[in-house]
Amino acid sequence: MSKSTHWSLDALYSGYQDPHFQNDVQALKELSSRLPSFCEDLQKEKEECILHDGLKKLEEIQDLCYRLKMYTQLMLSVDANNTDNIAWSNNILSMCSSLNLYQSKLWSMILNIENLEEKLQDDKLAKSYSFIIKEKLSKRSHALSDEQEQILSMVYPTSLKAFSDMYYALTGNAKAFYNGQWLPLTQVKNMCHDTSSKVRKEAYEAEQKAYENIAQPLSFAISAIKQQQYKEARLRGYKDPLEKMLIDSRMSEKTLQAMTESIEEYLPFFRDYLKTKAKLLGYENGLPWYEIYATLGDCDFNFSIDDCENYLLKHFKNVSENLYRMTKQAIDEHWIDYPTHPGKQPGAFCENLGWIRQSRIITNYNNTLSDIVTVAHELGHAFHGMMIEDQPILNRDYCMPLAETASTFNENLIYNALAKDMDEKNRLLVIDSQLSALCQNILDIYARFQFEKSVFEHVQHGFLNAEQLCDLMKQALLKSFGDGLDPNWIHTYRWITKVHYYIPDIAYYNFPYTFGALFSRGLYAKYQKEGQAFIPKYEALLKATTTNTVEDVAAIADIDLSKPDFWKQSLQSIVDQMHEFLELSQGEKA
């Protein structure tokens, strides 16, 4: 009997009729009915009781809502066509959203306690939440009234979340006409990594044609989401959604500026690399977008799922016993859903399930080099989750920039392992693939950041149609890639391909990827220099990500993020790798 390539969610619930699921749904209903009187009674208690019992109740709400929401969302992510998945997902989301008012009331009571920071030291539970309590105190100027928060919570399922769900439904069910047959759009999109240039080009053209059919409704979705995100940010007293994102990211504007200015200084090096690569591939006018993942020469990589899992286990074991054991558990217990099929969400993601000390991962696996790196990336997220699972439940959220630290660190591990394991020709292909990915994390993310900034500027004045969005995307790509791209082959529908624009609660989920790429590259350089002695420091750094600013987390590894030096060192290491690639390519050409 062949091994299943689908995940198992049985460790959560065995289905919607599972008595444990039904009991938790009933518990959620009972919690919802008890909360009004609980909050009313708690207001009459002493401050010490408000602090302790308020936090305990917040833990209960978070625990119950998170496990039910995660289960229904995970079920929906692999089958958006299943009516039970749609119904339960919306039902649970609506029930949990109704509790937001009482969560706000509980936090308000806690934050109104006189001399709160002093009282944190007298309660063990409260002391464990010192960081987030102090953070919430500092954010009080951005809070709305209870009534306003309730209104936003009530309309959330039918506004932001509804447009987000529409995105998943349209992209998850979209088909592209390729090679005489209709195929899932995700499957055709993944052909950008095919070994044949002809396949990549024809798949790209089929992909572009498919987007035409869903572009207009998705222009409504992205316009509505960004308009509401902008209005809510302003309503809460932020200058704009970027300021909100930076504060939520526990990241200073100075750090973002240091990183962005360093990238802008190094853009010409990346463009020169792309132009040189384009010429090596036979193109004189820059690289066509359909060749953005192309490798030099014929690439014969074909990693089956078993090959992928065995390779990751082999190389993770040499780095961290904790990482190895977790990966082994993920494989043995079927945490990963591999294959592409209709109704499944495109792309890849990982969800940490702290209450069962596990994670679940989605990929759309296609046996390519990119796919093995993607699995390594998502297992990095799972490892990050493992590092923080001993934190109390309200302390398990790390900020967006640090969210990509462990995942991209894993990418560096696997790319370097592959490069060492290959002969000279295949080593060239591995380095080429890594540099292509880095161009995405630097150039493409910079373009996506610039695009989102321009969208927020435009939606203040009204709706953006599909043609306008394509034009803004073209401008952003040219500002980033410059003459490294062939202007006749620019992917103007990148605003559809990236799910991050449609995440209801987060704006600017783009620059964190660049942060992760450059930050983790610097961490990996330290690992290469210090060896195993660095791993305990690395794991301590990951554990600290939920209760520190990004600057304080970096300081654990003796890094100052507010100065350009660190960023330029990471960028220069990429440029050095480009030089190595070009030397190898000349040898291969000779």
Side-chain angles (χ1 to χ4, degrees):
M1 182 177 177
S2 61
K3 185 183 77 171
S4 173
T5 56
H6 295 278
W7 64 19
S8 170
L9 301 183
D10 289 350
L12 288 74
Y13 306 102
S14 61
Y16 297 124
Q17 300 308 313
D18 183 338
H20 297 292
F21 179 80
Q22 292 295 328
N23 288 342
D24 281 348
V25 172
Q26 184 59 35
L28 181 61
K29 291 177 180 178
E30 292 174 1
L31 175 63
S32 179
S33 66
R34 293 196 312 265
L35 271 175
S37 59
F38 176 87
C39 290
E40 187 176 338
D41 292 342
L42 188 64
Q43 284 180 316
K44 304 170 186 175
E45 298 290 342
K46 294 180 179 179
E47 289 183 335
E48 291 78 5
C49 184
I50 291 174
L51 179 58
H52 185 86
D53 291 356
L55 288 170
K56 291 294 290 183
K57 187 59 66 175
L58 285 165
E59 286 186 326
E60 182 184 354
I61 296 169
Q62 174 73 3
D63 179 55
L64 198 51
C65 283
Y66 190 75
R67 66 175 65 193
L68 288 169
K69 282 197 293 186
M70 278 302 97
Y71 181 69
T72 54
Q73 286 296 309
L74 289 172
M75 291 285 282
L76 184 67
S77 69
V78 291
D79 192 356
N81 297 322
N82 185 296
T83 54
D84 284 344
N85 292 343
I86 296 169
W88 273 113
S89 175
N90 288 331
N91 188 26
I92 294 299
L93 179 64
S94 179
M95 291 171 66
C96 291
S97 295
S98 70
L99 304 187
N100 289 350
L101 170 64
Y102 302 104
Q103 288 176 292
S104 296
K105 284 185 174 181
L106 289 168
W107 275 118
S108 180
M109 281 189 269
I110 291 169
L111 298 176
N112 281 331
I113 293 173
E114 192 174 350
N115 299 320
L116 175 58
E117 291 191 37
E118 296 177 15
K119 290 184 170 62
L120 297 180
Q121 305 306 312
D122 301 327
D123 185 291
K124 185 178 179 181
L125 178 66
K127 190 175 182 179
S128 70
Y129 289 126
S130 292
F131 178 81
I132 62 166
I133 289 174
K134 291 175 182 178
E135 183 179 54
K136 285 182 177 294
L137 281 171
S138 69
K139 288 183 177 180
R140 293 202 78 184
S141 60
H142 300 294
L144 301 177
S145 69
D146 290 346
E147 291 74 18
Q148 288 173 309
E149 295 287 2
Q150 184 178 23
I151 291 170
L152 288 176
S153 295
M154 288 173 60
V155 301
Y156 175 79
T158 55
S159 56
L160 284 171
K161 187 61 169 58
F163 281 112
S164 178
D165 287 344
M166 184 174 83
Y167 170 82
Y168 289 122
L170 287 173
T171 56
N173 290 294
K175 293 186 181 297
F177 191 72
Y178 171 80
N179 199 23
Q181 57 182 326
W182 289 100
L183 298 174
L185 175 59
T186 302
Q187 183 179 342
V188 175
K189 180 173 173 283
N190 284 343
M191 292 178 188
C192 63
H193 299 289
D194 196 272
T195 57
S196 166
S197 177
K198 181 175 182 293
V199 169
R200 293 193 296 268
K201 182 179 180 181
E202 291 177 354
Y204 170 84
E205 291 173 329
E207 180 191 355
Q208 299 300 299
K209 193 71 177 174
Y211 289 136
E212 292 177 9
N213 297 323
I214 58 175
Q216 203 58 30
L218 288 180
S219 70
F220 281 86
I222 195 171
S223 291
I225 289 170
K226 294 306 165 190
Q227 280 182 329
Q228 188 163 340
Q229 286 177 343
Y230 179 81
K231 289 174 181 177
E232 284 194 27
R234 295 288 293 170
L235 184 65
R236 294 181 183 279
Y238 296 101
K239 181 176 66 176
D240 52 31
L242 180 57
E243 182 185 33
K244 181 180 185 300
M245 176 60 166
L246 284 170
I247 291 173
D248 290 344
S249 296
R250 300 165 182 165
M251 177 175 170
S252 73
E253 187 175 0
K254 190 175 181 181
T255 292
L256 178 62
Q257 186 176 358
M259 182 181 76
T260 303
E261 289 178 356
S262 299
I263 290 168
E264 289 169 350
E265 185 177 325
Y266 272 79
L267 286 177
F269 294 99
F270 284 84
R271 293 168 181 168
D272 288 344
Y273 159 74
L274 290 175
K275 286 187 290 184
T276 302
K277 181 175 175 179
K279 288 180 179 178
L280 290 169
L281 289 169
Y283 302 100
E284 295 297 328
N285 200 29
L287 202 64
W289 188 271
Y290 61 83
E291 298 286 42
I292 205 74
Y293 300 107
T295 53
L296 295 179
D298 294 328
C299 177
D300 55 3
F301 290 123
N302 192 315
F303 288 94
S304 69
I305 292 172
D306 284 340
D307 291 337
C308 169
E309 293 177 343
N310 290 333
Y311 195 82
L312 295 179
L313 286 171
K314 173 185 173 182
H315 288 284
F316 286 166
K317 189 173 181 63
N318 296 330
V319 177
S320 163
E321 182 63 26
N322 287 329
L323 177 59
Y324 169 79
R325 285 191 292 103
M326 185 219 70
T327 302
K328 185 76 165 59
Q329 183 184 2
I331 293 168
D332 292 343
E333 298 179 3
H334 302 291
W335 293 8
I336 307 172
D337 197 85
Y338 286 101
T340 298
H341 55 80
K344 181 178 179 179
Q345 178 178 322
F349 71 77
C350 173
E351 288 289 353
N352 300 138
L353 311 174
W355 75 93
I356 59 170
R357 294 177 173 266
Q358 297 181 19
S359 293
R360 287 299 181 272
I361 291 168
I362 265 188
T363 74
N364 283 271
Y365 199 84
N366 200 33
N367 289 24
T368 68
L369 175 66
S370 173
D371 289 311
I372 191 173
V373 174
T374 295
V375 176
H377 178 103
E378 300 305 333
L379 284 167
H381 286 304
F383 184 62
H384 200 162
M386 175 185 172
M387 290 294 100
I388 62 172
E389 65 189 14
D390 288 331
Q391 288 274 15
I393 190 167
L394 302 180
N395 271 353
R396 290 183 192 157
D397 290 331
Y398 41 72
C399 58
M400 290 297 104
L402 294 173
E404 300 303 325
T405 303
S407 55
T408 318
F409 188 88
N410 271 12
E411 286 190 23
N412 284 309
L413 286 173
I414 294 306
Y415 272 125
N416 280 273
L418 287 163
K420 289 178 181 178
D421 288 345
M422 302 296 177
D423 57 26
E424 187 169 299
K425 175 189 174 183
N426 285 329
R427 184 164 181 257
L428 170 66
L429 297 175
V430 169
I431 294 174
D432 190 9
S433 297
Q434 185 176 15
L435 289 173
S436 293
L438 284 165
C439 281
Q440 294 299 300
N441 276 323
I442 308 302
L443 297 185
D444 189 37
I445 297 297
Y446 179 78
R448 284 155 58 181
F449 176 70
Q450 296 299 327
F451 169 78
E452 191 159 5
K453 281 181 67 177
S454 64
V455 168
F456 275 122
E457 290 167 3
H458 282 78
V459 295
Q460 297 175 41
H461 309 293
F463 167 79
L464 283 167
N465 62 35
E467 184 178 354
Q468 290 171 306
L469 288 162
C470 285
D471 185 58
L472 291 179
M473 180 55 76
K474 182 177 182 179
Q475 292 176 36
L477 287 169
L478 288 174
K479 183 175 182 179
S480 180
F481 286 85
D483 57 359
L485 278 184
D486 185 333
N488 297 312
W489 294 92
I490 294 179
H491 195 327
T492 57
Y493 284 116
R494 293 292 283 171
W495 58 274
I496 295 179
T497 65
K498 293 302 167 186
V499 62
H500 304 91
Y501 296 127
Y502 301 86
I503 297 175
D505 308 314
I506 306 169
Y508 289 104
Y509 195 176
N510 34 56
F511 71 79
Y513 280 99
T514 304
F515 181 103
L518 296 178
F519 182 50
S520 64
R521 194 171 179 95
L523 293 176
Y524 186 74
K526 285 181 173 288
Y527 164 68
Q528 288 181 306
K529 183 179 179 180
E530 301 175 24
Q532 287 294 316
F534 177 73
I535 296 303
K537 185 184 291 186
Y538 170 62
E539 293 181 353
L541 178 150
L542 293 177
K543 290 177 182 179
T545 53
T546 63
T547 53
N548 287 277
T549 65
V550 296
E551 290 80 13
D552 288 342
V553 167
I556 294 173
D558 305 314
I559 295 169
D560 185 347
L561 297 176
S562 65
K563 295 179 180 177
D565 298 4
F566 169 76
W567 303 109
K568 290 182 180 180
Q569 286 171 8
S570 291
L571 287 160
Q572 184 60 48
S573 74
I574 299 172
V575 172
D576 292 342
Q577 196 172 15
M578 289 176 180
H579 293 322
E580 181 185 4
F581 161 79
L582 294 173
E583 288 176 9
L584 284 169
S585 66
Q586 290 303 318
E588 184 68 24
K589 190 176 180 181

